Amino acid sequence: MSSQDTAPTPQPPQQQDVEVGVVTKSVRKRKTTQNDSSHGSFFLRVGAIAFGLGTMIYNGLEFGSFFEVPSTSSCYQILRGVNPVLQMIFTFMQMYFIFMNSRTAKVALLKCEV
């Protein structure tokens, strides 16, 4: 190998300390890893989906009860109908994010096809 083929290794930055002298900082390796088979617990995702579906059913019932109050009543408020709809949209977006960004769900689907 010639000297042109090898690249010089980067040196860590140095800091001055009055009492000790020159102190070098060591470069730390990250202790996190990423693999293709898991990105969290499968049962945690299933529980989140079950909780999300229960929340959407409850919000649907709240939205239905909005139509039971007559519009001439003093208890009629438009936000009592809008709020459950917005909650359902938010819950659906969370569940969609959980399933679309989970590697375990993708691996499980691939294993089912084989």
Side-chain angles (χ1 to χ4, degrees):
M1 287 175 111
S2 67
S3 63
Q4 294 174 351
D5 291 340
T6 60
T9 58
Q11 297 295 324
Q14 294 184 351
Q15 290 183 343
Q16 281 295 99
D17 191 359
V18 177
E19 295 178 8
V20 180
V22 176
V23 178
T24 59
K25 274 190 170 180
S26 62
V27 179
R28 287 188 166 178
K29 274 189 167 182
R30 293 186 182 208
K31 294 183 180 180
T32 59
T33 59
Q34 207 174 29
N35 58 14
D36 292 335
S37 63
S38 84
H39 213 62
S41 172
F42 175 73
F43 294 106
L44 183 65
R45 284 193 200 91
V46 170
I49 296 302
F51 183 77
L53 288 176
T55 302
M56 290 182 74
I57 291 170
Y58 176 75
N59 288 330
L61 292 172
E62 272 191 25
F63 185 66
S65 69
F66 166 73
F67 292 107
E68 292 180 353
V69 177
S71 60
T72 57
S73 173
S74 63
C75 295
Y76 181 81
Q77 296 175 352
I78 193 70
L79 289 179
R80 294 204 185 257
V82 173
N83 194 28
V85 172
L86 293 176
Q87 286 177 343
M88 283 190 283
I89 292 170
F90 180 70
T91 304
F92 178 78
M93 288 171 46
Q94 284 181 330
M95 290 191 307
Y96 181 80
F97 180 80
I98 287 171
F99 264 107
M100 290 297 117
N101 293 317
S102 66
R103 293 182 181 177
T104 304
K106 292 177 186 176
V107 171
L109 289 175
L110 291 175
K111 287 182 181 178
C112 290
E113 291 176 0
V114 176

